[in-house]
């Protein structure tokens, strides 16, 4: 069955319609290019991060309307601590700013906030704002908006291995019972299905330590558009491209 896209200002052609059956359940986005967007305009890098926040709001709304169930956004990586202190602080204050402005609309849209990453090592102001939003939205059963903050895939996998090693040492588990499903339960994404579609903006073709385990069979879609330039139409383009892919999972 084909549906018209209500979120587009101009109605798409019939061939451009998204079909309900094979819409991606989980979309993950590496939101890259904020700094270059600002530099191109002679602005400081933080202006790009600020502009990127309004893109987040637009894309969340689009995801809700397109019936996406989980939207994971790479917000801050474990490697981003290498940036100048002021930039790190600016980025880590953005969740607070975003939630301050948009939490009412997230509630209206039945969105539930979650996070993946090393949350305890984040500054208090980030933890407080996100904890408040998680608590406030915990009974919403619409889109899961999953922020990857202080997230690094290698850190996540190592953490899982350490937990399993401890359980083995304490003889709480039997090594033969450890399969992919049991391993996945030790990852931050426990309970969330793997991404169906990964989008990276900003013209880079790499994962930058993002969801290495979870992306094993994900479809990738790249765009040169910088994150602040990423629009509903670009998102729509990515969703359509996804629907034209044939996923085989090693079969024929
Ligand atoms: C992505 O934009 C945002 C974060 C990594 C936090 P960048 O800040 O990496 O922007 P570019 O890649 O330098 O343009
Ligand atoms: C990836 O972008 C991290 C986020 C989008 C949060 P980076 O800009 O940090 O990636 P690299 O350093 O170019 O690989
Ligand atoms: Mg970058």
């Amino acid at each position: 069955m084909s549906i018209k896209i209500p979120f587009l200002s101009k109605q798409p052609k019939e061939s451009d319609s998204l079909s309900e059956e094979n819409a991606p359940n989980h979309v993950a986005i590496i939101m890259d290019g904020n700094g270059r967007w600002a530099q191109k305009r002679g602005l400081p890098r933080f202006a790009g991060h600020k502009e990127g926040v309004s893109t987040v709001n637009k894309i969340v709304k689009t995801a809700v309307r397109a019936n996406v169930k989980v939207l994971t956004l790479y917000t801050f990586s474990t490697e981003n601590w290498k940036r100048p202190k002021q930039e790190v602080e600016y980025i880590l204050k953005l969740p607070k700013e975003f939630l301050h402005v948009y939490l009412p609309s997230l509630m209206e849209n039945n969105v539930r906030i979650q996070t993946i990453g090393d949350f305890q090592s984040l500054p208090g102001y980030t933890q407080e704002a996100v904890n408040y939003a998680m608590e406030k939205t915990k009974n919403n059963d619409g889109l899961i908006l999953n922020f990857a903050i202080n997230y690094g895939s290698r850190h996540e996998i190592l953490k899982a291995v350490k937990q399993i090693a401890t359980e083995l040492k304490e003889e709480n588990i039997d090594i033969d019972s450890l399969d992919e499903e049991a391993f996945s339960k030790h990852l931050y994404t426990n309970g969330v299905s793997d991404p169906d579609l990964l989008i990276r903006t900003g013209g880079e073709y790499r994962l930058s330590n993002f969801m290495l385990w979870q992306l094993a069979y994900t479809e990738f879609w790249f765009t040169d558009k910088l994150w602040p330039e990423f629009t509903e139409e670009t998102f729509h383009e990515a969703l359509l491209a996804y629907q034209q892919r044939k996923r085989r999972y090693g079969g024929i």
Side-chain angles (χ1 to χ4, degrees):
M1 192 184 122
S2 227
I3 49 161
K4 289 259 189 279
I5 312 301
F7 53 83
L8 285 177
S9 42
K10 56 177 192 314
Q11 276 298 329
K13 299 194 295 284
E14 197 56 43
S15 59
D16 286 349
S17 296
L18 293 172
S19 86
E20 277 176 90
E21 288 94 73
N22 51 357
N25 185 58
H26 182 172
V27 178
I29 308 183
I30 303 176
M31 311 181 286
D32 198 17
N34 292 347
R36 279 165 284 163
W37 181 89
Q39 275 159 355
K40 266 194 350 195
R41 285 160 181 77
L43 299 168
R45 290 178 58 85
F46 77 82
H49 297 310
K50 194 177 166 73
E51 191 64 24
V53 171
S54 32
T55 306
V56 170
N57 175 52
K58 279 183 265 175
I59 295 316
V60 168
K61 286 193 172 157
T62 312
V64 169
R65 291 189 208 118
N67 214 16
V68 170
K69 302 286 184 286
V70 184
L71 179 67
T72 298
L73 300 179
Y74 204 7
T75 309
F76 188 83
S77 77
T78 46
E79 286 69 36
N80 288 146
W81 293 103
K82 291 177 194 158
R83 297 187 180 201
K85 193 165 169 274
Q86 271 188 320
E87 181 169 344
V88 167
E89 266 178 30
Y90 190 86
I91 296 170
L92 293 179
K93 280 186 178 147
L94 288 176
K96 184 173 174 175
E97 200 167 302
F98 170 77
L99 293 164
H100 179 72
V101 179
Y102 297 112
L103 193 54
S105 112
L106 294 172
M107 285 300 291
E108 262 169 47
N109 284 289
N110 197 21
V111 174
R112 180 169 170 195
I113 307 281
Q114 289 188 353
T115 65
I116 53 173
D118 180 7
F119 195 69
Q120 304 309 325
S121 308
L122 286 167
Y125 49 79
T126 315
Q127 290 193 38
E128 278 159 34
V130 175
N131 271 331
Y132 177 79
M134 287 198 290
E135 180 59 28
K136 189 100 180 144
T137 61
K138 70 176 183 201
N139 295 321
N140 292 348
D141 58 4
L143 175 78
I144 293 177
L145 176 56
N146 188 26
F147 288 106
I149 320 179
N150 197 15
Y151 175 87
S153 198
R154 289 185 172 181
H155 165 89
E156 176 185 43
I157 292 169
L158 258 181
K159 186 178 74 67
V161 170
K162 286 179 184 171
Q163 279 174 5
I164 293 164
T166 308
E167 287 178 10
L168 277 174
K169 205 162 76 188
E170 291 168 357
E171 295 180 1
N172 288 336
I173 52 162
D174 162 23
I175 188 74
D176 296 324
S177 71
L178 185 66
D179 55 12
E180 291 182 11
E181 200 191 330
F183 186 83
S184 300
K185 292 205 167 97
H186 293 271
L187 300 174
Y188 290 122
T189 43
N190 178 22
V192 176
S193 65
D194 290 340
D196 299 291
L197 171 65
L198 171 82
I199 297 171
R200 182 168 186 149
T201 65
E204 309 290 359
Y205 302 90
R206 55 177 172 258
L207 291 179
S208 305
N209 203 11
F210 189 52
M211 300 185 103
L212 303 179
W213 170 279
Q214 296 87 342
L215 295 174
Y217 264 107
T218 301
E219 297 295 326
F220 289 9
W221 193 84
F222 296 96
T223 173
D224 287 340
K225 285 231 159 106
L226 305 170
W227 179 248
E229 300 167 339
F230 190 80
T231 60
E232 294 182 14
E233 283 77 9
T234 333
F235 194 24
H236 178 228
E237 220 183 292
L239 294 172
L240 269 178
Y242 170 82
Q243 297 204 328
Q244 280 145 23
R245 304 274 178 93
K246 189 117 197 81
R247 300 181 79 182
R248 282 185 286 273
Y249 300 98
I252 51 171

